[in-house]
Amino acid sequence: MSTVRDARISRTAKAKEEGCDLPGAWAAYGRLLQHLRKRAGLNQQQLGEAIGYSLEQVASVEQGRRPAKAAFTRAADRVLEAGGVLEVLQDEVDRAKLPRFFRNFALIEAEAVSRFDYEPQLVPGLLQTEEYARALFAGHCPPLSEDVVDQRTEARLSRQKLLTRVPLAELSFIINEEALRDPVGSPEVMRGQWQQLLQLAALRNVEVQVMPAMRGFHPGKNGPFVVVETREHKHLGYFESQGVGCVVSEPAEVSTFALRYGKLRSQALNVEESARLIERMVGET
């Protein structure tokens, strides 16, 4: 018994060291799952067999030690005849996989009617392939465990629902050419990332522009930033560096962000030119 208790303490301590100490959303989901399972007259082993997961996986989700994936939730909701109540919580479960500093902005982002993103160093998260995102998290310093790499990759991909959410959000991305050419992962990972950029740029609510190399000084030299418009038509800014994120709400400061973004848009390659540049990069590999 003490060995089991010590193992649980060790897992919790490890999670806290990595900055992801058992979010409340996971615990709430787990308690609800346990309630629905018992109401259905099933033990953890029986539920696991019914939905295609192990006893350990079901137990971990119920104890809030592991977040449920969307496939787990869909299967459990169906088997337990939960009427969609577990699926309602999935977005919260996924959001809790994100780094703590980003979660508040993730809530704002999910409800945005427009979002404008300048990124000088990396492909923006909303446009990343799974392989590209996983390579970034795998290179994190200090190193993340495989579980946390998996969770953060899943959370990043879950955010991409904004690209096709109804009603559509107006989305604009400006990416430095150097960010597109700087290798992340293998050549195959980069080729897949460029191809995905072309596919997403073809969506009617998405614009991708490239800031060409050697452009010289421009307003983006101060670093990456995002400007969003909420459903209430309030404008907010966001920027982050070295694992610290900041939401900007002061109207004068947000106005400055918007002014800079407009200037960057005029200095970057237009949408068609940007697509041709990315196509050439794909052809070079």
Side-chain angles (χ1 to χ4, degrees):
M1 187 68 176
S2 62
T3 301
V4 173
R5 184 172 61 251
D6 291 346
R8 288 180 180 173
I9 292 172
S10 176
R11 280 192 294 266
T12 301
K14 183 174 178 60
K16 288 182 177 179
E17 286 174 7
E18 293 175 340
C20 56
D21 44 311
L22 305 181
W26 300 358
Y29 179 103
R31 287 194 295 272
L32 178 60
L33 176 66
Q34 183 183 65
H35 168 74
L36 293 170
R37 173 180 61 76
K38 290 181 176 179
R39 187 186 68 176
L42 301 175
N43 60 33
Q44 292 177 338
Q45 180 73 42
Q46 291 168 330
L47 176 59
E49 290 173 354
I51 65 176
Y53 288 84
S54 69
L55 168 63
E56 168 60 25
Q57 288 172 311
V58 173
S60 293
V61 171
E62 285 195 357
Q63 293 164 15
R65 293 189 288 108
R66 174 181 295 177
K69 295 185 178 182
F72 180 106
T73 295
R74 287 192 297 269
D77 209 279
R78 173 178 50 79
V79 168
L80 298 174
E81 298 181 354
V85 297
L86 288 174
E87 294 190 73
V88 167
L89 290 177
Q90 188 63 45
D91 283 346
E92 293 298 322
V93 170
D94 288 339
R95 193 171 294 116
K97 298 174 187 175
L98 293 164
R100 185 179 298 278
F101 74 84
F102 189 75
R103 292 175 195 167
N104 286 341
F105 181 71
L107 284 169
I108 297 168
E109 174 188 78
E111 301 295 323
V113 297
S114 67
R115 186 185 188 282
F116 305 106
D117 187 335
Y118 170 68
E119 178 54 68
Q121 296 176 310
L122 298 167
V123 172
L126 288 176
L127 305 179
Q128 290 174 9
T129 64
E130 178 178 352
E131 295 76 15
Y132 185 99
R134 189 174 295 279
L136 288 176
F137 291 127
H140 191 276
C141 181
L144 302 173
S145 71
E146 286 301 318
D147 280 348
V148 174
V149 170
D150 288 344
Q151 290 165 15
R152 294 196 178 176
T153 302
E154 291 162 8
R156 179 156 295 178
L157 297 180
S158 179
R159 287 175 52 220
Q160 295 177 0
K161 289 183 287 189
L162 179 62
L163 297 167
T164 54
R165 184 207 69 197
V166 177
L168 292 174
E170 185 70 24
L171 305 171
S172 171
F173 303 88
I174 302 173
I175 313 168
N176 273 12
E177 182 179 346
E178 294 92 336
L180 296 180
R181 294 191 180 277
D182 194 19
V184 173
S186 67
E188 291 74 22
V189 169
M190 292 305 299
R191 180 181 176 85
Q193 181 61 76
W194 297 331
Q195 290 172 329
Q196 174 149 304
L197 285 175
L198 292 171
Q199 293 168 3
L200 295 177
L203 297 175
R204 60 192 180 92
N205 63 313
V206 177
E207 290 188 352
V208 175
Q209 292 179 256
V210 177
M211 181 66 72
M214 309 303 291
R215 171 63 81 186
F217 180 80
H218 56 72
K221 293 294 185 180
N222 288 335
F225 64 93
V226 179
V227 180
V228 298
E229 180 183 3
T230 70
R231 286 182 177 177
E232 295 75 29
H233 303 294
K234 181 177 181 179
H235 292 82
L236 300 167
Y238 176 78
F239 66 93
E240 66 180 57
S241 178
Q242 297 295 326
V244 178
C246 181
V247 176
V248 179
S249 58
E250 174 60 39
E253 294 176 350
V254 179
S255 178
T256 299
F257 278 24
L259 179 64
R260 289 173 182 167
Y261 197 84
K263 189 74 170 178
L264 289 167
R265 250 180 161 171
S266 71
Q267 294 177 319
L269 301 178
N270 64 34
V271 170
E272 292 76 17
E273 293 168 339
S274 297
R276 287 196 294 270
L277 173 59
I278 298 172
E279 287 169 353
R280 289 197 298 272
M281 293 168 66
V282 172
E284 291 169 1
T285 59

